[in-house]
Amino acid sequence: MKIFYIRRGRVYKTILWLLIGAFFIGLGFLATRERTEKTLSPIYQGSDREKKIALTCNIFWGEEYIPRMLEILQEHDVKMTFFPGGTWVEDFPELLKSIDGAGHEVGTHGYAHPHPDQLSKSANLRDMQKAEELIYQAIDKRPKLYAPPYGEKGPAVLKAAEEQGYSFILWSIDTIDWQRPSPEVIVRRVVGKAHNGAIVLMHPTAPTVSALPQIIQELKKQGYQFVTVGEMMNGMSAKTAPEKKK
């Protein structure tokens, strides 16, 4: 009986140590998972403690409206963050040089505008890298910000962006200007939903260009400072909440 109790005690002791080991392994797994998820989180907006707002423009078409957009931005001393697509850069490298030369920030919208969530990580990487090389050839700068086509943010594209060294940029205010509503509708969508740290998604369309001066004037009246996405992120804690503000 004594031998039985000793053996049973050893078994209990072994089980106890196994449970302790499993507990600490579990803590390590959770900590690693938390760090990974934090690293891969999209950025929807900047700090809500500062009255700043960033205008962004995704470009895969609409090049005929960009010169006037640049004139308006210059007239009002506002810098924007542009996210050109690689196929567009192939066709209009000089226009991208004009954007960069005017002091605007240039990110990347990928190369071919695929659905990122339908691609593998390696396929997303190839799309990003091809676009980056074209942007670099045009303006001698490599983008640090990536705006995914369709706003898709699955694990494969997030991991690809992380490996490429990009910040993953989405938005908190969507103009939905690709549907080409009236300029008044675009103004309401931006001014009516303006908030500290907002990132505003735009495209180069005729109604967007018509709405842009009023948007800038109204938001300046409200005390907003216009910054690029990079400036908004610099030295601040950007919000990475899973839900975009409507």
Side-chain angles (χ1 to χ4, degrees):
M1 289 295 293
K2 185 175 182 181
I3 294 174
F4 172 76
Y5 283 121
I6 290 173
R7 287 179 177 173
R8 187 167 64 177
R10 288 175 178 171
V11 170
Y12 288 157
K13 188 175 182 180
T14 300
I15 291 173
L16 177 61
W17 280 112
L18 287 172
L19 289 172
I20 291 172
F23 173 75
F24 282 106
I25 290 172
L27 284 180
F29 171 77
L30 289 174
T32 301
R33 181 180 177 184
E34 182 179 351
R35 286 195 300 270
T36 301
E37 289 177 349
K38 183 176 181 181
T39 301
L40 299 177
S41 294
I43 295 169
Y44 295 90
Q45 66 178 78
S47 171
D48 58 9
R49 292 184 296 234
E50 298 184 279
K51 208 169 181 66
K52 295 182 179 180
I53 195 163
L55 302 179
T56 72
C57 183
N58 291 354
I59 316 173
F60 253 92
W61 37 259
E63 54 280 348
E64 64 270 30
Y65 303 111
I66 291 176
R68 179 56 187 149
M69 183 179 286
L70 294 178
E71 289 176 358
I72 293 169
L73 293 170
Q74 183 177 9
E75 290 166 6
H76 294 275
D77 193 25
V78 169
K79 301 303 181 188
M80 180 182 276
T81 300
F82 288 85
F83 292 97
T87 57
W88 184 87
V89 175
E90 282 181 321
D91 293 333
F92 303 100
E94 294 303 317
L95 197 46
L96 183 61
K97 289 178 183 177
S98 296
I99 291 171
D100 177 65
H104 299 289
E105 183 173 46
V106 176
T108 175
H109 200 35
Y111 176 74
H113 212 281
H115 279 278
D117 286 351
Q118 296 177 9
L119 301 180
S120 65
K121 183 191 76 173
S122 60
N124 273 299
L125 269 172
R126 286 193 296 272
D127 186 79
M128 294 173 185
Q129 290 166 353
K130 191 170 183 179
E132 178 174 318
E133 285 306 313
L134 289 165
I135 292 169
Y136 179 72
Q137 290 170 18
I139 62 173
D140 199 31
K141 295 177 184 176
R142 295 194 179 276
K144 299 298 183 184
L145 308 176
Y146 171 72
Y150 308 104
E152 293 181 357
K153 53 186 186 296
V157 66
L158 282 167
K159 190 62 179 175
E162 179 189 32
E163 289 192 12
Q164 198 63 16
Y166 294 149
S167 294
F168 198 96
I169 309 302
L170 291 176
W171 61 86
S172 59
I173 298 176
D174 190 354
T175 60
I176 322 177
D177 55 359
W178 55 270
Q179 293 182 346
R180 292 167 176 78
S182 69
E184 293 75 20
V185 169
I186 295 175
V187 172
R188 283 201 305 271
R189 285 174 178 168
V190 178
V191 176
K193 297 178 182 179
H195 59 89
N196 290 4
I199 296 176
V200 182
L201 174 60
M202 294 178 164
H203 300 82
T205 72
T208 304
V209 171
S210 297
L212 191 55
Q214 188 176 347
I215 289 171
I216 294 172
Q217 291 164 2
E218 291 292 334
L219 292 179
K220 281 188 173 182
K221 286 180 185 177
Q222 294 181 26
Y224 283 99
Q225 176 187 354
F226 287 91
V227 296
T228 64
V229 173
E231 289 170 335
M232 182 177 286
M233 292 170 55
N234 187 29
M236 300 180 186
S237 177
K239 282 198 172 183
T240 55
E243 296 292 334
K244 299 191 292 287
K245 289 189 176 183
K246 301 298 184 184

